[in-house]
Amino acid sequence: MMRKLGIAAILLISCISCGKVGDVVPNVSVDFSISLLDPRMSALHNTGGAVLINGYGVAGLIIYREANGSYAAYDRCSAYEPANKCAVTLDNPSYTCTDPCSGSKWSLEDGTPVKAPAIKSLKAYAVNISNNQIFVQN
């Protein structure tokens, strides 16, 4: 019985101590929409095109046109040390983005890290298209 209690206590302590409070991009409400015909969205007409949107999410949004013709949206807040709220920037060509604070890079096709020190994916948001209008939400 004591052994079971000891194991349970160790498991509980290890679960509580896993991860730091600031190691994930915070959850904030995102409800953004714009016409795909808006000239500011013209980069999204081509595969691999991306646009930066300020004022939404933690550090802004990246909307990306995927190879299959669909769209992806990510928070610009770096997933590496997100407590710093360092906004990633688009690379040229815009298939990747870079955290200017750490040098980490992510693929915009799926948000996964492609260059260390990042090990976590970018925070993704849901994207829907209706009547040439793009909606980004969580």
Side-chain angles (χ1 to χ4, degrees), residues 77-135:
C77 184
S78 173
Y80 178 76
E81 296 183 347
N84 295 339
K85 296 184 180 170
C86 194
V88 298
T89 58
L90 290 175
D91 295 335
N92 189 10
S94 59
Y95 301 112
T96 57
C97 63
T98 300
D99 173 353
C101 300
S102 70
S104 298
K105 286 186 179 280
W106 290 266
S107 165
L108 292 177
E109 246 336 282
D110 59 7
T112 58
V114 295
K115 182 181 174 204
I119 57 172
K120 294 182 181 177
S121 295
L122 294 172
K123 183 179 189 83
Y125 295 111
V127 178
N128 294 299
I129 307 295
S130 178
N131 298 324
N132 284 319
Q133 190 88 356
I134 189 165
F135 299 90

Side-chain angles (χ1 to χ4, degrees), residues 16-101:
I16 292 171
S17 65
C18 288
K20 296 179 268 178
V21 172
D23 69 351
V24 295
V25 176
N27 288 322
V28 297
S29 180
V30 173
D31 190 8
F32 171 78
S33 67
I34 193 168
S35 171
L36 286 169
L37 303 176
D38 186 305
R40 296 172 291 176
M41 300 295 112
S42 64
L44 297 178
H45 297 204
N46 301 311
T47 298
V51 295
L52 301 178
I53 307 293
N54 293 318
Y56 293 87
V58 175
L61 302 174
I62 297 174
I63 303 175
Y64 176 75
R65 176 79 180 263
E66 297 174 320
N68 65 8
S70 62
Y71 299 88
Y74 305 101
D75 202 296
R76 287 186 63 198
C77 184
S78 173
Y80 178 76
E81 296 183 347
N84 295 339
K85 296 184 180 170
C86 194
V88 298
T89 58
L90 290 175
D91 295 335
N92 189 10
S94 59
Y95 301 112
T96 57
C97 63
T98 300
D99 173 353
C101 300

Side-chain angles (χ1 to χ4, degrees), residues 1-25:
M1 180 69 173
M2 285 299 279
R3 183 169 185 232
K4 287 182 182 179
L5 286 175
I7 291 172
I10 290 171
L11 287 173
L12 179 63
I13 291 170
S14 66
C15 288
I16 292 171
S17 65
C18 288
K20 296 179 268 178
V21 172
D23 69 351
V24 295
V25 176

